[in-house]
Amino acid sequence: SRGCWCRWVAWVIGLGTGTLAAYGRPGDSFVFYEINPLVLQVAKTRFSYLKNCRASLDVVLGDANHFPFNPPVVSEKITITVK
């Protein structure tokens, strides 16, 4: 329990963090962006967190040249550093 009434709206890069879907509740919204179709296949067949997610869930398969919204929904530049 998050202990609050707030709803989550999350745009997540990569299904490697797909276990976050397990925290989704009705009214929450998750969009996962995945570039590798094999990762999506494994996530759907070997793990249950996507099918058991209680939030609204979308998985967008594509890369930086794919925009799921018209016009594109954009934010300020976000830099992700992996060490």
Side-chain angles (χ1 to χ4, degrees):
S1 171
R2 282 181 249 158
C4 71
W5 55 267
C6 59
R7 297 290 179 234
W8 284 359
V9 176
W11 294 0
V12 185
I13 300 171
L15 281 170
T17 58
T19 55
L20 290 173
Y23 293 97
R25 299 185 308 188
D28 294 342
S29 178
F30 288 87
V31 179
F32 288 90
Y33 294 90
E34 178 55 57
I35 194 169
N36 188 336
L38 294 176
V39 171
L40 177 57
Q41 180 182 353
V42 169
K44 287 182 171 181
T45 60
R46 304 265 178 135
F47 298 94
S48 61
Y49 53 83
L50 294 180
K51 68 180 174 188
N52 292 336
C53 180
R54 297 183 309 149
S56 167
L57 176 75
D58 291 304
V59 178
V60 177
L61 191 59
D63 59 21
N65 296 315
H66 178 260
F67 297 103
F69 302 99
N70 187 11
V73 176
V74 296
S75 69
E76 294 179 21
K77 182 179 178 179
I78 299 171
T79 302
I80 300 172
T81 304
V82 178
K83 292 183 179 186

